[in-house]
Amino acid sequence: MQNLSVETFKEEHLSDILRLERELFDEPYSEETLRRELKLPFSLNLVAKFNGKTVGYCLSWLISETCELHRIGVKRELQGKGIGRELLNALIQLASQKGAREILLEVNQRNEKALLFYRKFGFKKIAERENYYGKGDGALLMKLNIGGNDAER
C-alpha cells in the first residue's frame, strides 16, 4: 500500500489510537492504560499511518526473548488492505533486532479472521484457555518463532 508508514507509538498518536480502540474493541483500553504503554521501558508499540493519518497500531511487550503481542488493530474500512500485515512485519523485525526469539499472543478461538491472519504468518497454537473471554469464549495461545528467514512475510 503506497503512502503507508510504520513508526513508534508516541504521545501525538494517543487520541487517534483511543478512537480506534473504541471503534474496534468491545472493551477498549483506557487513556490511562495507553499512557502507561508510552512509559514502560519494555513496550514495543507501533502505529501505521496512511496519507499522514493514524490507521492502525500494535501494542506489545518485549520481556527477555519473548515478545507478547497484546493488541493489533486497523481502522475498519481499511482492513484487508495489508496494513495489519505491515504492522506485524515491522513488529517481527523490531522484536528480532532487540533479541526476541518468539512472539506470543492470545486470540479468541471464535475470531476466524484473526486466526487466519496469524496462521498466515506461521503462528501455531500452543495452548487453549477455556472461557478466557467469558460467555464460553476460549482463547488460543499462539506462538511464532522469529529470527533468521522468519522475520519477513
Side-chain angles (χ1 to χ4, degrees):
M1 180 178 247
Q2 288 186 306
N3 300 321
L4 180 70
S5 62
V6 176
E7 57 191 66
T8 302
F9 170 32
K10 299 179 186 113
E11 178 86 23
E12 67 197 53
H13 304 118
L14 187 61
S15 63
D16 292 334
I17 292 174
L18 273 169
R19 240 186 323 277
L20 287 170
E21 273 288 308
R22 292 178 188 128
E23 172 190 333
L24 298 170
F25 297 100
D26 292 335
E27 295 181 25
Y29 286 166
S30 67
E31 182 175 346
E32 179 182 325
T33 296
L34 292 172
R35 284 190 186 283
R36 187 181 70 232
E37 285 296 318
L38 285 167
K39 295 175 184 170
L40 293 173
F42 46 83
S43 287
L44 289 182
N45 302 318
L46 301 170
V47 297
K49 298 191 95 173
F50 178 63
N51 290 332
K53 296 186 181 186
T54 303
V55 295
Y57 61 100
C58 68
L59 306 175
S60 67
W61 291 354
L62 178 61
I63 300 173
S64 187
E65 294 183 342
T66 300
C67 179
E68 298 174 7
L69 177 57
H70 297 150
R71 192 81 110 190
I72 188 166
V74 173
K75 192 167 187 60
R76 282 198 201 281
E77 62 262 23
L78 295 174
Q79 291 178 1
K81 300 192 181 306
I83 296 168
R85 183 179 64 243
E86 291 299 321
L87 278 165
L88 193 48
N89 274 329
L91 178 64
I92 290 167
Q93 290 179 353
L94 180 60
S96 182
Q97 289 169 2
K98 293 185 173 279
R101 305 300 299 154
E102 64 186 9
I103 297 180
L104 296 178
L105 61 87
E106 292 165 347
V107 61
N108 189 313
Q109 66 187 17
R110 295 180 198 234
N111 189 340
E112 290 299 324
K113 190 174 178 181
L115 288 168
L116 179 62
F117 175 75
Y118 293 128
R119 286 181 180 132
K120 283 183 180 178
F121 271 86
F123 280 88
K124 306 279 188 225
K125 179 182 92 168
I126 59 171
E128 292 184 40
R129 294 183 173 151
E130 291 184 27
N131 203 33
Y132 184 79
Y133 294 103
K135 301 177 192 165
D137 287 353
L140 299 183
L141 182 60
M142 300 181 83
K143 176 180 168 181
L144 175 69
N145 293 319
I146 61 172
N149 294 332
D150 291 340
E152 181 91 24
R153 302 279 162 229

